[in-house]
Amino acid sequence: MPNKLTIALLQLSVGREVALNVRRAADSVRKLKVDNPRLQLAILPESFNAPYGQEYFPKVAEEVPKGPTCQSLSQLASELSIYIIGGSIVEREGDKLYNTCTVWGPDGALIGRHRKIHLFTMSIEPANFGGVEFDEAAFLSAGSEPTVVQIGQQKIGIGICHDKRFEELARIYRNMGCTMLVYPSAFCICQGPMHWELLQRARATDNQLFVVTCSPARDNMSGYVAYGHSMVVNPWAQVQREAGEGCEFIVEEIDFDVVDQVRRQIPIYKQRRTDVYAKARFDL
Ligand SMILES: O=C(O)CCC(=O)C(=O)O
């Protein structure tokens, strides 16, 4: 049985109108499916339905799965009979807000909901690479569950943006049997050039799996300028595909046999000395 999955990354431009952003995303996925009938999984960026910024969070928040963005994604997945990793939206539950990725099956059912576990709170001074100041934790609550979805024969681990900096989460996903990690993300132009590719290749090297990120397109006029460069990194830790900065779509066939090849030829997972690590309790 072929061990492959055809995926699309949609590096979308995001404007201020939620309904328009969602409609554009849906129309783009439809067109990609017509042009690529083998498409099985569409992946959207972090904050794909509204600009990323604290001033937007309470205004655009919606319930999962009842809200309008969720309903459109569910309908789209069943119409095209594909899986959708729905980037992220701001989820409202009671008086709490979360940065949440919803995952939809080909029958339109919600098969996963990942609430960003590691909130993006950072203050880089302007003298360093232009600087960035953000405090997601002041506005959003953090999730506390890893999220694994079954897509075809594969187990896929979900993270959102800043989650990608944390090797511990990626290792949990490897331990749970994942062969691919997907991080809808929106690094900005300060840390993007420094760490975007580096982190993605690091997670792929350590855990010997595919690592996929999907960013919004860069918009130099917006308050938070996303880096772009949506990317597929393979288990050899090579960049297999990379978008530029603007609105751009990538369709790529993922061959999961490569996961087994790398794990067989570089058997680090078997060589781990968990006895030594347990004694040192290194991760506490
Ligand atoms: O970790 C970073 O440098 C950026 C994180 C980020 O932009 C986010 O989590 O939205």
Side-chain angles (χ1 to χ4, degrees):
M1 202 187 280
N3 204 9
K4 295 187 173 153
L5 198 63
T6 303
I7 69 170
L9 314 187
L10 287 93
Q11 184 166 293
L12 292 157
S13 298
V14 178
R16 279 163 189 256
E17 258 193 76
V18 172
L20 188 60
N21 293 326
V22 175
R23 198 163 64 237
R24 280 207 193 118
D27 288 347
S28 305
V29 175
R30 278 191 193 95
K31 180 160 183 344
L32 283 170
K33 179 67 177 167
V34 170
D35 295 345
N36 305 272
R38 293 161 64 98
L39 180 64
Q40 292 158 291
L41 167 64
I43 302 172
L44 307 179
E46 180 181 24
S47 194
F48 82 96
N49 71 342
Y52 181 72
Q54 59 206 41
E55 65 274 34
Y56 300 102
F57 293 158
K59 285 190 222 140
V60 303
E62 64 176 74
E63 282 180 41
V64 173
K66 274 201 250 153
T69 306
C70 288
Q71 288 307 302
S72 299
L73 293 180
S74 166
Q75 201 272 327
L76 183 67
S78 70
E79 175 194 322
L80 303 179
S81 199
I82 60 169
Y83 292 90
I84 298 177
I85 297 181
S88 83
I89 59 170
V90 182
E91 176 191 359
R92 183 189 300 282
E93 190 184 62
D95 57 1
K96 291 196 166 157
L97 302 180
Y98 300 90
N99 189 338
T100 298
C101 173
T102 56
V103 187
W104 305 91
D107 58 356
L110 182 69
I111 60 166
R113 174 177 67 177
H114 181 77
R115 289 172 167 167
K116 189 176 192 174
I117 296 173
H118 305 92
L119 294 177
F120 171 41
T121 293
M122 195 174 280
S123 179
I124 303 181
E125 293 164 8
N128 298 318
F129 315 99
V132 63
E133 182 93 43
F134 210 88
D135 188 7
E136 246 187 353
F139 302 92
L140 304 181
S141 300
S144 44
E145 302 275 344
T147 308
V148 173
V149 292
Q150 182 81 34
I151 295 191
Q153 300 171 57
Q154 308 305 322
K155 286 194 166 61
I156 296 181
I158 308 291
I160 300 175
C161 203
H162 198 54
D163 282 337
K164 144 173 137 169
R165 286 191 180 268
F166 297 85
E167 159 55 14
E168 295 88 341
L169 180 61
R171 175 45 53 100
I172 287 169
Y173 287 144
R174 162 88 204 251
N175 289 346
M176 291 171 83
C178 292
T179 49
M180 183 157 94
L181 306 182
V182 175
Y183 297 94
S185 298
F187 269 41
C188 79
I189 49 174
C190 167
Q191 345 79 306
M194 269 190 280
H195 293 157
W196 176 265
E197 178 184 326
L198 178 72
L199 286 166
Q200 197 165 333
R201 294 181 63 202
R203 299 293 83 87
T205 318
D206 290 342
N207 296 296
Q208 304 180 301
L209 34 64
F210 286 91
V211 182
V212 174
T213 50
C214 188
S215 167
R218 189 172 301 183
D219 172 4
N220 290 314
M221 303 308 282
S222 73
Y224 181 92
V225 183
Y227 179 55
H229 294 274
S230 300
M231 199 176 272
V232 176
V233 171
N234 70 24
W236 295 109
Q238 292 169 313
V239 177
Q240 182 170 320
R241 286 292 297 275
E242 177 176 357
E245 295 163 2
C247 180
E248 190 175 327
F249 307 143
I250 286 176
V251 176
E252 187 70 357
E253 189 177 70
I254 304 295
D255 179 358
F256 288 97
D257 286 345
V258 179
V259 173
D260 297 332
Q261 287 161 21
V262 172
R263 290 180 181 184
R264 195 177 62 247
Q265 293 173 52
I266 308 179
I268 48 171
Y269 197 70
K270 288 191 202 137
Q271 293 164 350
R272 286 171 309 141
R273 290 291 308 276
T274 47
D275 55 333
V276 175
Y277 314 149
K279 254 190 272 161
R281 297 167 69 82
F282 81 104
D283 60 341
L284 297 179

